[in-house]
Amino acid sequence: SLTLFRGVLIRELVARGHRVRCYAPDHSADTTAAIGALGAETDSYPLARSGLNPLQDLKSLRALTARLASFAPHIVMGYTPKPAIYGSLAAARIGVPRIVPMITGLGFAFQDGGGVKRGVAQAVSRRLYARALARSHAVIFHNKDDHRLLAGLGVVPPGLPVHVVSGSGVDLDQFPVMPLPPLLEGKGLCFLMIARLLKAKGVAEFCEAARMVKEKSPYSRFVLVGPEESGPDGFSKDRLAAYDGIVEYAGRQSDVRLFLGQCHAYILPSYGEGMPRTVLEALAVGRPIVTTDARGCRETVDERVNGILVPVADSTALAEAMLSIL
């Protein structure tokens, strides 16, 4: 995440003479080396990226506060839900002069759908976002819908400077236009989805739509790329096994360009995003996309020009859109 999504920003800040330190859980030696090559430093802290355990989150907040105190930064920018919240709260605790969280997406708690667990998660998240933003000096959003939602809930303090940017951006030198591959035997197409195995990414809808399309286009391929995820929103490999022979699971991949080059269309039936980077990458290489009429996703589509929008959690509509591309 740091090197792919923030690498250009890190390099630019270092080039302007700033000292940059990157905090994240579970640094590997390769990540440390890659960030070091950008001229920045790394430090690790404990973080449960998913889940609702307040003791674990309190541990993260305390650890991050201690690490920031030892570095004494002038500016702190946390991004993704938990680091945006806890990074801001930790920075406020030690009196950092400039705190600017980046809301790259609101996460599990604010996705559509009921349930006691999601209701509790949203109530807790609203309070935490309100506390974090009350202590911030500005905030960056990746789409207008997330800003409108939090502002409507009274979470964004009046007068707080708000900046909306269209996601992290994609380096067109790294993701140049690629020619479409030949049609598959029997004039089938390759449909690709890249996402963590989460229900909210629409993995179930992709698999079920693939089953429907496969019945009418047996030569088409359906490829799923992304790491497994635990937590309340995880989509287990056992569930994925029910689609053996239909969906090809390629697991975690550090470089997705080969897969983008081999596909004819990109699919992301997400329940909501900040601004889906994989969609931007697919558009950059010249692939039509099918995604949902959800926060962040809808902003990437010019209907029937570069892609198709479908309703959230509707595998039948997704299958129909994929068939229309066929």
Side-chain angles (χ1 to χ4, degrees):
S1 175
L2 284 165
T3 54
L4 287 174
F5 300 165
R6 307 286 164 249
V8 175
L9 174 62
I10 292 168
R11 186 186 298 113
E12 178 68 16
L13 289 171
V14 171
R16 294 187 182 200
H18 300 294
R19 183 181 174 194
V20 180
R21 181 171 289 181
C22 303
Y23 297 85
D26 307 322
H27 280 299
S28 68
D30 289 344
T31 301
T32 300
I35 293 173
L38 297 172
E41 308 164 21
T42 58
D43 199 353
S44 186
Y45 71 103
L47 177 68
R49 291 188 296 117
S50 59
L52 305 171
N53 187 324
L55 294 178
Q56 287 184 326
D57 289 349
L58 182 60
K59 180 181 177 182
S60 295
L61 177 59
R62 288 174 172 169
L64 193 52
T65 301
R67 284 159 175 75
L68 289 176
S70 69
F71 184 59
H74 298 99
I75 304 170
V76 166
M77 184 189 79
Y79 72 96
T80 71
K82 285 191 177 184
I85 291 169
Y86 298 131
S88 299
L89 293 176
R93 281 183 167 189
I94 63 169
V96 172
R98 189 86 178 152
I99 304 169
V100 186
M102 180 154 59
I103 312 298
T104 57
L106 297 178
F108 167 81
F110 290 91
Q111 284 149 7
D112 294 334
V116 174
K117 184 175 289 187
R118 198 183 301 274
V120 170
Q122 184 173 132
V124 172
S125 295
R126 284 173 60 179
R127 184 172 180 179
L128 288 172
Y129 272 121
R131 290 182 61 190
L133 294 182
R135 291 158 176 77
S136 299
H137 302 93
V139 59
I140 302 168
F141 285 92
H142 271 192
N143 66 65
K144 296 175 183 177
D145 288 334
D146 285 352
H147 172 221
R148 279 193 289 261
L149 176 61
L150 290 190
L153 293 172
V155 170
V156 181
L160 181 70
V162 172
H163 307 275
V164 180
V165 298
S166 296
S168 305
V170 173
D171 185 341
L172 297 180
D173 292 329
Q174 295 294 317
F175 290 87
V177 174
M178 301 180 186
L180 283 167
L183 293 175
L184 303 175
E185 180 187 357
K187 296 186 178 179
L189 298 182
C190 178
F191 296 94
L192 172 67
M193 177 178 177
I194 303 170
R196 292 176 290 147
L197 295 192
L198 292 170
K199 299 170 190 173
K201 294 293 184 182
V203 175
E205 287 78 9
F206 176 73
C207 293
E208 189 57 25
R211 183 189 62 76
M212 298 178 193
V213 175
K214 193 80 168 176
E215 292 175 355
K216 298 184 178 181
S217 177
Y219 292 101
S220 289
R221 293 177 59 208
F222 306 88
V223 180
L224 175 62
V225 174
E228 299 176 58
E229 286 285 346
S230 58
D233 199 36
F235 186 90
S236 69
K237 284 189 71 175
D238 289 340
R239 289 188 65 186
L240 190 59
Y243 297 93
D244 282 349
I246 299 173
V247 175
E248 303 170 33
Y249 178 53
R252 180 193 294 269
Q253 299 290 331
S254 59
D255 189 344
V256 299
R257 287 174 292 184
L258 174 64
F259 293 89
L260 287 169
Q262 292 175 344
C263 80
H264 296 92
Y266 182 74
I267 315 297
L268 185 67
S270 172
Y271 292 14
E273 301 280 331
M275 181 66 66
R277 182 183 172 89
T278 58
V279 168
L280 300 183
E281 292 170 347
L283 291 171
V285 304
R287 296 300 181 266
I289 60 171
V290 180
T291 190
T292 50
D293 189 9
R295 293 195 312 270
C297 299
R298 67 172 65 97
E299 298 185 33
T300 64
V301 174
D302 186 357
E303 184 68 23
R304 294 284 168 176
V305 175
N306 67 354
I308 302 171
L309 288 178
V310 298
V312 172
D314 191 335
S315 54
T316 301
L318 181 61
E320 291 172 353
M322 293 159 76
L323 287 168
S324 74
I325 292 178
L326 268 163

